[in-house]
Amino acid sequence: MDDTQGNSNYALEKLRALLQSDSLDADGKLPTERTLSEILGVSRRSIRRALEVLEAEGRIWRRQGSGTFAGKRPDGWSNHVDSIVADTDLMEIMEVRLRVEPQLAQLAAMRAKVADVERMYDLVKKIYESTDADGRELWDGALHRQIAQCAGNTFFLMIFDVINRVRQDEAWQAIRERARSASRTREVTHGQHTAIVDAIAARDPGKAGEAMRQHLLTLQESLIRITSLDHSETEVEKEPT
């Protein structure tokens, strides 16, 4: 066996271990080929070969210009996110979330495993300890998706992923962060996240669903206040002086 092939096998073994660990970002993005090469001490060619094997196995997928991600390639909905963002608004998304996510929390309370619940608590902690808006959005999205995944319903998860990709629009993230800051909901949000996970851990579907509903209602109210304020300020600017 030549050195290149040996390095490729070594890289493949290490990348498999990386995919099975919890060390990746919440969105599942892998480090660049250059970084992986430096970390593992093998050539970029070996890294590239190993990634090709993992992609053929369906363990990773690549997006041009964005990088390499763990898991299966998203379905065709990804191609329609921009048009969905353009044709809807935050209030419509909140209406859908209020009808979908409490049901997901109920199912998660029935089906989540102990390790899943531990992961949820860890994500709740990461959200609370995040010191910047980007971090809060990252871990908040990861928590809500973990709950959706633990519901154990593939079709429900697909619907959630569409909602989640729409709400990841940068402009909408900025509005949500302004709503959080204006309402100073950090402590309230932490308590609500904890209550949701506590109910899931207690195997109480009704309580989990209601905790999720209350959490989303709080966010909806904050969004209504901030968008109403923006509207009022715009109207004042339009008034003749």
Side-chain angles (χ1 to χ4, degrees):
M1 179 183 296
D2 59 64
D3 290 341
T4 301
Q5 183 62 39
N7 285 341
S8 295
N9 284 330
Y10 173 80
L12 181 59
E13 178 184 350
K14 293 301 181 182
L15 288 173
R16 289 191 194 280
L18 176 64
L19 293 176
Q20 293 173 355
S21 71
D22 294 326
S23 60
L24 296 177
D25 290 341
D27 61 358
K29 187 175 182 178
L30 275 67
T32 64
E33 290 183 3
R34 180 188 296 276
T35 301
L36 288 171
S37 174
E38 293 172 353
I39 292 173
L40 301 181
V42 297
S43 68
R44 291 182 66 179
R45 183 183 182 188
S46 296
I47 293 294
R48 196 171 298 115
R49 285 182 170 181
L51 290 173
E52 287 173 357
V53 171
L54 292 172
E55 186 174 21
E57 293 176 350
R59 301 288 303 279
I60 63 170
W61 63 280
R62 308 185 196 204
R63 179 188 295 155
Q64 186 68 30
S66 298
T68 302
F69 299 83
K72 296 181 179 179
R73 179 178 296 277
D75 55 62
W77 279 105
S78 299
N79 300 325
H80 304 293
V81 171
D82 289 341
S83 61
I84 294 174
V85 170
D87 293 337
T88 189
D89 57 48
L90 276 173
M91 292 303 109
E92 288 186 352
I93 292 299
M94 288 308 304
E95 287 177 359
V96 176
R97 291 187 69 187
L98 275 162
R99 284 152 182 79
V100 172
E101 293 195 54
Q103 304 301 318
L104 290 170
Q106 289 184 9
L107 290 172
M110 299 166 60
R111 298 169 179 170
K113 299 177 181 178
V114 173
D116 297 326
V117 174
E118 291 176 354
R119 172 66 171 161
M120 290 177 199
Y121 278 122
D122 182 55
L123 290 170
V124 169
K125 181 180 178 182
K126 288 181 183 298
I127 296 167
Y128 186 71
E129 294 178 347
S130 293
T131 58
D132 62 284
D134 184 63
R136 282 189 290 273
E137 283 291 335
L138 180 72
W139 297 116
D140 183 80
L143 172 63
H144 283 267
R145 194 183 190 282
Q146 177 75 10
I147 293 170
Q149 188 171 352
C150 289
N153 185 305
T154 303
F155 189 60
F156 247 150
L157 182 60
M158 184 186 304
I159 294 171
F160 174 86
D161 280 342
V162 173
I163 298 169
N164 207 35
R165 288 203 291 273
V166 174
R167 67 186 283 267
Q168 287 170 0
D169 177 73
E170 290 184 2
W172 290 9
Q173 288 185 7
I175 294 173
R176 285 199 303 278
E177 182 58 25
R178 285 178 58 204
R180 292 190 186 102
S181 299
S183 303
R184 298 181 180 179
T185 58
R186 182 169 178 264
E187 297 294 335
V188 172
T189 297
H190 179 65
Q192 291 177 341
H193 281 157
T194 302
I196 293 168
V197 181
D198 283 347
I200 292 173
R203 305 293 182 190
D204 190 331
K207 194 171 183 179
E210 180 59 20
M212 178 65 79
R213 191 180 76 86
Q214 290 299 324
H215 170 56
L216 295 175
L217 282 173
T218 299
L219 176 57
Q220 184 184 51
E221 291 169 2
S222 297
L223 291 171
I224 290 172
R225 281 196 295 271
I226 197 68
T227 53
S228 296
L229 179 61
D230 288 346
H231 179 72
S232 299
E233 291 176 348
T234 301
E235 290 301 313
V236 170
E237 291 175 358
K238 289 180 180 178
E239 290 180 1
T241 57

